[in-house]
Every structure is written in structure tokens, then in C-alpha cells.
Amino acid sequence: MPSLEEVRQLLLGIPGTTVEVQFTRPGVDGLQTINIKRGVVQFPSVPCATMLKETTDGSIGYIRLRRFGADAGESMKAAIQSLQSKAPQEVSPTRSQQDNTLAGLVLDLRDNTGGELFEAIKVASLFVPDNTYLGSSKGEGSMMPNQSYYSGKLDLAQADDPVQEPTQQMIDPDKTHVVILTNKQTASASEFLAGVFQDLDLGVIVGN
């Protein structure tokens, strides 16, 4: 019997082409045959965003951030907007609709092995005011100089010279308690994001 990796290699091919698959099924006699059309498989950065608790006393949201693909920043923004829209409005004439956000948010970074650092900066920018220092990296030579990272900015050298419109803060940690879930597979850009939360005291890190 072929291994899972061997099966994966046999199924891989040019999108649009077909592959014949034969298999057996319990309760069905004989060998079954189907033709499967190959295609590009999209793995969203945010596969899950749901409400764990939804009451007038406070709502707690959950977001699973699986990877930092090119859609991570926008997907996180959409997920937060969706959860905030579901949070029941508190009875207080002094609070606006935007102020009536989540009482808590669980951000799941378990098994997130990283991805694009730019997207991690976008995600971090959703939790802090614009132009907040997030961290830096040590380069090697003129081709890879030392770089500093700021919220809302994607320029890697100067915080005052952004390359596009800044990402606006959507979560106020003073009003929304944030918990970050990590494990041994949380790495690269995920470690950067978890480090930002820890260094800026934006939330509680739970896990390895």
C-alpha cells in the first residue's frame, strides 16, 4: 500500500488535467474508479472565525490564523469586523457602536509555521495605534540592512515613508482582552506576532 506522501505525489499535476483514482469502499463489491479534475487548492489564512460566547455581559470571539499568506491581513480584518458586528450592543448612551467591541478575543496561532512578515505587520497593526514600534531585524551587509518595523507601515527602513495606506487599529487591548494560543509549531512570522503581543503587553500568551 502506498504511503500518504506517495499518493500525494501521484495526485499532483497540471491544473485542468484529470487523474484516474481507483479505490475500494466497505459494503461495495469490486474496485471503484473515478476521474478527478486537478485544480489549484487555496488554503485561506483564516479558516475559522466564530463567537465562543455571545451575551450582553460580554462577547468572546475566536479566530484561527493558520498561516501568513498574502491574504492574512485582510482576512484578519474581515474576521474582526464580522465578530464585532455580532457582539451585542451594551446599554450605554456614552458608548458608540465601535466602542461596543468584543470583551475578549482568542487568537489561535497553534501550528502556524509563519509566512510573509509583511502580513504579520498588518495583523499586528490591527491591535495597536499607528506608527507603534513593533520590532527590528539585524541585516547582513548593504543588500540586507538592519530593518525596523512599525504598525501601519510596510516600508522596512523608515516609519515615516509608508509604501501604502496604513492598516488601522481595530482592537483596543484596554477594552478587549486578548489571548494568544501557541505551540511548538508556532514559528517565524507567528513568533514575531506573539513577541509583539508579549513585548507591548497586548495580551496573554498561552502555550509553548
Side-chain angles (χ1 to χ4, degrees), residues 88-169:
Q89 185 172 2
E90 296 180 5
V91 181
S92 174
T94 62
R95 293 174 67 88
S96 66
Q97 179 65 27
Q98 184 176 2
D99 288 335
N100 179 37
T101 56
L102 302 167
L105 176 64
V106 178
L107 180 56
D108 194 346
L109 297 181
R110 292 175 298 180
D111 299 319
N112 185 327
T113 56
E116 299 183 24
L117 180 59
F118 287 169
E119 296 302 313
I121 295 173
K122 289 181 182 180
V123 173
S125 299
L126 298 172
F127 295 86
V128 294
D130 188 28
N131 208 32
T132 299
Y133 175 74
L134 302 177
S136 62
S137 62
K138 185 177 181 180
E140 297 181 1
S142 58
M143 297 298 294
M144 297 181 62
N146 295 342
Q147 298 170 342
S148 296
Y149 311 107
Y150 296 81
S151 61
K153 315 292 182 182
L154 295 187
D155 178 75
L156 298 183
Q158 300 293 331
D160 295 328
D161 184 22
V163 296
Q164 67 174 46
E165 291 296 320
T167 302
Q168 299 295 325
Q169 181 182 9

Side-chain angles (χ1 to χ4, degrees), residues 2-74:
S3 66
L4 181 62
E5 178 59 25
E6 290 173 334
V7 172
R8 189 183 74 87
Q9 290 296 332
L10 290 171
L11 293 176
L12 288 175
I14 300 174
T17 61
T18 59
V19 57
E20 183 179 280
V21 178
Q22 294 182 330
F23 60 94
T24 59
R25 177 179 296 172
V28 179
D29 295 332
L31 195 65
Q32 307 298 305
T33 301
I34 61 172
N35 290 309
I36 300 175
K37 186 176 182 179
R38 295 184 175 98
V40 178
V41 180
Q42 301 280 350
F43 291 99
S45 295
V46 179
C48 177
T50 188
M51 200 71 79
L52 298 179
K53 176 184 178 183
E54 189 175 354
T55 69
T56 54
D57 294 330
S59 301
I60 300 176
Y62 169 88
I63 298 177
R64 170 80 169 98
L65 182 55
R66 179 167 55 187
R67 58 191 289 269
F68 286 93
D71 65 323
E74 288 301 315

